[in-house]
Amino acid sequence: MGRNAYFENRQFIDAALEIIGRGGPGAVTVASIAGHIDAPVGSVYHRFSSREMILAELWLGIAESFQEGFLEILAAGEAVQASLYTLHWVREHPIEARVLLLYRREELVAREWPAGVRGRAAALERNLAEGLKSFVRRAFGRYSSGGMDRALFALIQVPLAAVRGCLEKGVAPPESADRLIRETCEHIMRRKP
Amino acid sequence: MGRNAYFENRQFIDAALEIIGRGGPGAVTVASIAGHIDAPVGSVYHRFSSREMILAELWLGIAESFQEGFLEILAAGEAVQASLYTLHWVREHPIEARVLLLYRREELVAREWPAGVRGRAAALERNLAEGLKSFVRRAFGRYSSGGMDRALFALIQVPLAAVRGCLEKGVAPPESADRLIRETCEHIMRRKP
DNA sequence: GATATATTAGAATATATATTCTAATATATC
DNA sequence: GATATATTAGAATATATATTCTAATATATC
């Protein structure tokens, strides 16, 4: 019982997304989030325990969605497809991509996750580690730290590198990026560690 | 005439370097900089027009020194050597590397450079662009934007990607990084754009 | 040795922003 | 229709930190 809600949690998180996407981490204040949807700041704190909690939920939601797609492709075992995933995802989700891939996570949420989302953050890390580990086993016949270095480099670091400049400029990655990532991945994964 | 100075500008800049290197951008306050060398905050403002100016001078000094070495190797024309430069520089200058390569520049100095160092910032950008342009001409026979994309990717983005994880962890890049960068660079630069 | 002044010293102030708090409002439930 | 309460509404407060300001100090120059 009681008064009906005028806003939804999601609206505040989406407002934070828009604000970071346009103005960067420095632009997200509790007032700017509330103002973006004409809500009073009181309504922010009625829903979220702190400013950081909004950002944590935003970041985790994006990361989970990004990672779900990545792990699916990774499980299929195609290295090149997995290495191109980031690029395609950035093209489809340009704003989310900035939040997840352009800024360090610590710019949005302090190194220590706020209580209440630690489980989600830990699961994210665990799932990635597991997915990569079994990919490495399949790709190279057995697990080795050298194989993991190679997979991390080809499937994650290089695609990220190829995309970072565009994220900064706020433009979509060019066609040429596909080729650079594909070539690099094929070459790096061809050689056994 | 007048009282002799007890501190030097350099000490404040070095203090900022140490503080960022250890605690990240969030840890550099005017008070923490002054406190690090037991100076009063008044002495900070006696030397620097603002907190941002200290960070601008720190960042520009590191960037200039990094870039000078890079452009020298680039002028020699060896793509692989240039692609390994970042890695070697990170091993030699671990703290400076964090300031320059781990954090976005905008975390330290706002997008608009403070008046007084705009010339230095512009020169930095111009010199890199020129150095890369003439490298591309030599490497591929003629200048093309495709060639520039390839050079940027192989000589800058990939080396940065290979090194970022270590910068975050605060450890020196492993031997394996040399091989990944070298292999990628050779492969990417072999093909004409 | 007196004097001017560069610099130290650190307290006071300004400002931005997160958080708290009190009152008003709207509606579900009786 | 009365009542309890979830939620809105936004003013008040707390806090961190950059910047300013005033006084003290030490030394180069005369």
Side-chain angles (χ1 to χ4, degrees):
Chain A
M1 66 179 82
R3 175 175 181 169
N4 280 352
Y6 203 82
F7 304 99
E8 294 173 17
N9 286 19
R10 189 71 232 167
Q11 290 179 271
F12 292 90
I13 295 174
D14 286 341
L17 170 66
E18 286 294 320
I19 292 165
I20 297 173
R22 284 183 212 298
V28 257
T29 65
V30 174
S32 75
I33 291 170
H36 198 263
I37 55 174
D38 277 312
V41 298
S43 289
V44 172
Y45 285 91
H46 185 67
R47 290 151 205 286
F48 300 92
S49 55
S50 68
R51 168 185 177 279
E52 189 163 51
M53 199 55 153
I54 305 174
L55 300 181
E57 293 203 6
L58 170 63
W59 195 94
L60 284 169
I62 296 173
E64 283 160 357
S65 140
F66 172 85
Q67 187 168 288
E68 185 183 22
F70 179 73
L71 290 180
E72 217 165 274
I73 291 194
L74 198 67
E78 282 290 339
V80 170
Q81 287 313 307
S83 82
L84 289 169
Y85 175 79
T86 300
L87 182 60
H88 297 157
W89 186 83
V90 168
R91 291 208 182 100
E92 280 171 44
H93 308 278
I95 314 287
E96 285 86 348
R98 287 172 71 94
V99 175
L100 189 65
L101 305 179
L102 179 56
Y103 310 116
R104 282 182 317 122
R105 194 262 293 174
E106 287 81 359
E107 278 192 75
L108 303 173
V109 186
R111 208 174 53 76
E112 279 284 320
W113 287 96
V117 296
R118 295 216 181 108
R120 277 172 79 184
L124 209 54
E125 211 172 315
R126 199 171 49 242
N127 290 341
L128 180 63
E130 272 174 23
L132 280 170
K133 214 161 184 174
S134 64
F135 171 84
V136 167
R137 267 195 294 268
R138 259 177 297 125
F140 296 116
R142 67 184 185 83
Y143 180 83
S144 70
S145 72
M148 178 60 91
D149 283 351
R150 221 156 253 268
L152 280 173
F153 183 73
L155 306 187
I156 294 182
Q157 293 167 340
V158 165
L160 205 57
V163 125
R164 189 175 300 268
C166 299
L167 291 175
E168 256 160 34
K169 284 184 225 135
V171 301
E175 290 298 318
S176 63
D178 291 76
R179 186 130 57 105
L180 291 173
I181 292 174
R182 176 191 295 275
E183 280 180 28
T184 304
C185 179
E186 283 172 348
H187 188 71
I188 292 293
M189 294 302 293
R190 179 173 303 144
R191 195 162 307 187
K192 297 256 171 184
Chain B
M1 66 181 81
R3 174 175 181 171
N4 281 351
Y6 203 83
F7 305 99
E8 295 173 16
N9 286 18
R10 189 70 232 168
Q11 291 180 270
F12 293 90
I13 295 174
D14 286 341
L17 170 66
E18 286 294 319
I19 292 165
I20 297 173
R22 285 181 213 298
V28 256
T29 65
V30 175
S32 76
I33 291 171
H36 198 262
I37 56 174
D38 277 312
V41 297
S43 289
V44 173
Y45 284 93
H46 185 68
R47 290 151 206 286
F48 300 92
S49 55
S50 67
R51 167 186 178 278
E52 188 164 50
M53 200 54 154
I54 306 174
L55 300 181
E57 294 204 5
L58 170 63
W59 196 94
L60 283 168
I62 297 172
E64 283 160 355
S65 138
F66 172 86
Q67 186 168 290
E68 186 182 22
F70 179 73
L71 290 180
E72 217 165 274
I73 291 194
L74 198 66
E78 282 291 338
V80 169
Q81 287 314 307
S83 81
L84 289 170
Y85 175 77
T86 301
L87 182 59
H88 297 158
W89 186 83
V90 168
R91 291 206 181 102
E92 279 171 45
H93 308 278
I95 314 288
E96 285 85 348
R98 287 173 70 95
V99 175
L100 189 65
L101 305 179
L102 178 56
Y103 309 115
R104 283 182 318 122
R105 193 261 293 172
E106 288 81 359
E107 277 192 76
L108 302 173
V109 186
R111 207 174 53 76
E112 279 284 322
W113 286 95
V117 296
R118 295 217 181 107
R120 278 172 80 184
L124 208 54
E125 210 171 317
R126 199 172 48 241
N127 291 341
L128 180 62
E130 271 175 22
L132 281 170
K133 214 162 183 173
S134 63
F135 172 83
V136 167
R137 266 196 294 269
R138 261 177 296 125
F140 296 117
R142 68 183 186 83
Y143 180 82
S144 70
S145 72
M148 179 59 90
D149 284 351
R150 222 157 253 269
L152 280 172
F153 183 73
L155 306 187
I156 295 182
Q157 293 167 340
V158 165
L160 205 57
V163 126
R164 189 176 300 268
C166 300
L167 291 176
E168 256 160 35
K169 283 183 226 135
V171 301
E175 291 298 317
S176 63
D178 291 77
R179 185 129 58 104
L180 291 172
I181 292 174
R182 177 190 296 274
E183 280 180 27
T184 303
C185 180
E186 282 172 348
H187 188 71
I188 292 293
M189 294 301 293
R190 178 173 303 146
R191 194 161 308 188
K192 297 255 171 184

